[in-house]
Amino acid sequence: IRHVITEQPDTLPLCFPNHSSGYIFHACLFTELEDVVIGIQSQRNSYHARRSGQRKVEILQQAARLGQGVPVVVLLHELSQYEGDWSILPALPRLFAKYGHSASWLFFIEEETEVTLSALLEVLNRYPAQEWFLGKRLRDNEASIIHHYAFSEDPSSFGYPDTAAGWALSAPLLKRLTERIQSENLKSDFTIDLKHEIALFIWEEGHGPKLTAVPEFCTEPRDGCATTFTTYLGDPVSKNDVFVAVKTCQKFHSDRVPVVKATWEKDAGFLEYYSDVTDASIPTISLGVPNTERGHCGKTFAILRRFLSKAVPKADWLLIVDDDTLISLPRLRQLLRCYNPKEAVSLGERYGYGLIQKGYSYTTGGGGMVLSRTAVSRLLSSSCGCYSDDAPDDMVLGRCFTTLGVPITHSPLFHQARPDDYSEEMISTQHAISFHKHWNVDPVAVYRYWLQDTRPRDEL
């Protein structure tokens, strides 16, 4: 406990006053850097591990220059061998066991989140020692499928953090969350949107705190920010480095396929349409797998085998999309510059299944699944495959890659749903790579507004 004596209580942080000798005495728990654990939401892929390691070094160097102690900086992918720690809840008991008895705050950032430590301390010292959940507040404009239509009567009433701006848990809240995770038989289902699901878990239907909005937690740079978020990408890889596989079926040849041709097909170097029938007017290729109403695992594995065969041009990367996926191939090719195709890479929007009970992660199919040639080769060389033709292809791939030790790499620029299903404030600051579904939207207009570039962009 550190003591402050002052005659101007209005300028102080929230503390507990006592009166003595005409002065107001404040006994406060003042946070210093050594009281803060910074958790970088890192990933196992070599590019992301390197970037998060660089961020850790930058934070520690900044702390040394500041001379106010040194924070603990944890790379989440190094916390344990469990790949599902990215979903946060499995990681909280481990973080509490290591740091919960000495830390006042746990502050999560993404690997491209820049932190001004002095400003962060100013923010944290505004809040007394009780349960706090802090972040940049996002809201839904309408009930969203990715949030299971929660708060459908008033979607904007519930706030959840923009993780790119950083978010914080106070020590008392971390302690209670850990106890709950360890004592309750938590439902282990799908992890779809981590930001929203963490906020729901913490709120606990009104028994826990809602998110407190912190204006200093930012994504766009402006005066007074404690955090900002910027990602710079290099020059795009060649068109011919990416082979594009579009999954379709006969009943969608006349409505979905024309949208692809009117929007993003022209940006592909190599592209084939795979259907249940051959249609020379498109043209489509039949892989000998009957169409299924759901799953498509048999078709996807046939695509993987064709990708490695001599029937198609050799490429470093395979992109598998649905016929109602809208995608910016130029932006994807910029993103792929970050990755080494000689590594086994599975890239896209990451979902999870059963992660509380040692489940697995997968790249959700609607937003586009990107696989390096090495990953495809490793998968097909294994015994892992479909248990039926209509098994969910994206989940089977995720289970197989988890078994093979291939990390599922996440990019927030891929989207499984429509733009309307995401916070407008969040996606308006992105250069999105993909969206999915034509429900109640004009897909060509969505493509032109959100995905079509009028000039080359170096910054995503």
Side-chain angles (χ1 to χ4, degrees):
I1 293 181
R2 303 166 180 93
H3 304 289
V4 175
I5 298 178
T6 181
E7 293 177 322
Q8 297 180 351
D10 290 343
T11 63
L12 283 173
L14 298 169
C15 307
F16 303 96
N18 289 303
H19 297 271
S20 174
S21 304
Y23 290 88
I24 295 180
F25 177 80
H26 290 260
C28 306
L29 284 173
F30 276 86
T31 298
E32 294 182 350
L33 283 177
E34 60 205 29
D35 304 319
V36 180
V37 175
I38 299 176
I40 302 178
Q41 293 174 243
S42 55
Q43 303 190 65
R44 297 184 189 277
N45 172 271
S46 65
Y47 166 75
H48 292 283
R50 184 171 65 253
R51 288 296 298 132
S52 57
Q54 292 169 345
R55 181 66 61 203
K56 178 177 180 176
V57 169
E58 291 168 6
I59 291 171
L60 294 177
Q61 289 175 341
Q62 184 185 160
R65 293 192 300 269
L66 193 60
Q68 296 183 25
V70 179
V72 174
V73 183
V74 179
L75 303 186
L76 206 58
H77 79 278
E78 294 181 347
L79 185 63
S80 76
Q81 293 300 309
Y82 181 45
E83 194 269 340
D85 279 342
W86 69 265
S87 62
I88 302 298
L89 294 186
L92 291 183
R94 285 187 269 274
L95 289 166
F96 180 76
K98 281 191 173 185
Y99 311 110
H101 300 289
S102 58
S104 299
W105 289 93
L106 176 57
F107 183 58
F108 287 104
I109 62 172
E110 296 185 3
E111 64 192 33
E112 300 296 346
T113 307
E114 296 184 16
V115 184
T116 302
L117 295 176
S118 57
L120 175 63
L121 285 180
E122 288 184 19
V123 169
L124 298 180
N125 274 307
R126 288 206 301 260
Y127 301 93
Q130 61 190 56
E131 292 191 359
W132 291 102
F133 174 33
L134 310 178
K136 176 187 175 182
R137 179 172 173 146
L138 297 175
R139 304 170 187 259
D140 288 338
N141 300 321
E142 58 183 63
S144 170
I145 187 173
I146 65 169
H147 297 156
H148 308 289
Y149 300 106
F151 307 96
S152 57
E153 294 184 0
D154 186 7
S156 66
S157 65
F158 186 76
Y160 53 99
D162 187 338
T163 54
W167 54 286
L169 304 176
S170 64
L173 179 56
L174 174 61
K175 181 176 185 294
R176 186 173 65 80
L177 295 176
T178 296
E179 291 170 349
R180 183 181 168 203
I181 292 167
Q182 292 176 330
S183 63
E184 294 184 14
N185 184 21
L186 297 179
K187 179 183 178 183
S188 184
D189 201 351
F190 289 92
T191 301
I192 294 175
D193 184 10
L194 176 64
K195 303 180 291 297
H196 195 270
E197 289 156 21
I198 285 290
L200 277 176
F201 183 81
I202 292 171
W203 178 60
E204 198 181 352
E205 297 185 349
H207 298 290
K210 280 191 172 183
L211 180 73
T212 296
V214 175
E216 293 88 351
F217 292 175
C218 313
T219 48
E220 298 294 304
R222 56 178 172 77
D223 291 343
C225 287
T227 60
T228 56
F229 183 87
T230 309
T231 301
Y232 295 96
L233 301 179
D235 295 330
V237 301
S238 167
K239 281 186 177 183
N240 294 339
D241 288 336
V242 184
F243 185 88
V244 183
V246 182
K247 295 184 299 178
T248 188
C249 63
Q250 186 176 18
K251 66 179 179 179
F252 295 129
H253 287 186
S254 62
D255 54 359
R256 294 184 181 179
V257 170
V259 172
V260 177
K261 289 184 172 294
T263 54
W264 57 268
E265 184 197 73
K266 64 184 181 300
D267 293 320
F270 304 127
L271 181 147
E272 288 185 338
Y273 294 90
Y274 298 109
S275 184
D276 51 337
V277 297
T278 299
D279 183 340
S281 68
I282 293 176
T284 64
I285 294 171
S286 173
L287 295 171
V289 180
N291 186 56
T292 55
E293 289 299 318
R294 58 194 179 102
H296 313 300
C297 193
K299 180 184 287 186
T300 295
F301 269 75
I303 291 170
L304 299 180
R305 290 189 290 270
R306 182 173 174 84
F307 175 69
L308 292 186
S309 75
K310 295 182 178 179
V312 298
K314 186 174 182 179
D316 289 337
W317 299 98
L318 170 64
L319 168 66
I320 302 176
V321 295
D322 294 344
D323 52 11
D324 58 349
T325 301
L326 300 169
I327 193 162
S328 168
L329 292 179
R331 294 180 193 175
L332 172 63
R333 291 189 290 110
Q334 276 191 287
L335 180 65
L336 289 179
R337 177 63 68 183
C338 299
Y339 301 98
N340 182 356
K342 295 182 179 179
E343 295 180 8
V345 178
S346 173
L347 172 67
E349 183 179 22
R350 179 179 53 192
Y351 280 11
Y353 180 72
L355 294 179
I356 291 290
Q357 277 88 32
K358 303 292 186 182
Y360 59 91
S361 305
Y362 62 99
T363 298
T364 182
M369 299 183 291
V370 182
L371 301 173
S372 66
R373 189 173 195 86
T374 303
V376 176
S377 178
R378 191 165 167 189
L379 174 62
L380 293 184
S381 297
S382 74
S383 59
C384 199
C386 305
Y387 53 84
S388 66
D389 280 349
D390 66 350
D393 53 351
D394 50 4
M395 296 182 72
V396 170
L397 288 175
R399 179 175 53 81
C400 288
F401 283 131
T402 298
T403 301
L404 294 171
V406 176
I408 304 300
T409 301
H410 174 69
S411 169
L413 304 181
F414 295 81
H415 302 87
Q416 169 68 14
R418 308 163 306 159
D420 289 349
D421 294 309
Y422 299 88
S423 164
E424 184 177 0
E425 181 179 1
M426 182 187 74
I427 63 172
S428 64
T429 62
Q430 295 180 334
H431 283 207
I433 284 176
S434 69
F435 291 103
H436 182 224
K437 297 292 185 189
H438 296 175
W439 295 335
N440 299 320
V441 296
D442 177 347
V444 175
V446 168
Y447 173 82
R448 288 174 178 170
Y449 184 82
W450 290 104
L451 299 171
Q452 187 174 45
D453 290 321
T454 56
R455 65 184 187 280
R457 303 188 189 188
D458 295 323
E459 182 180 322
L460 290 189

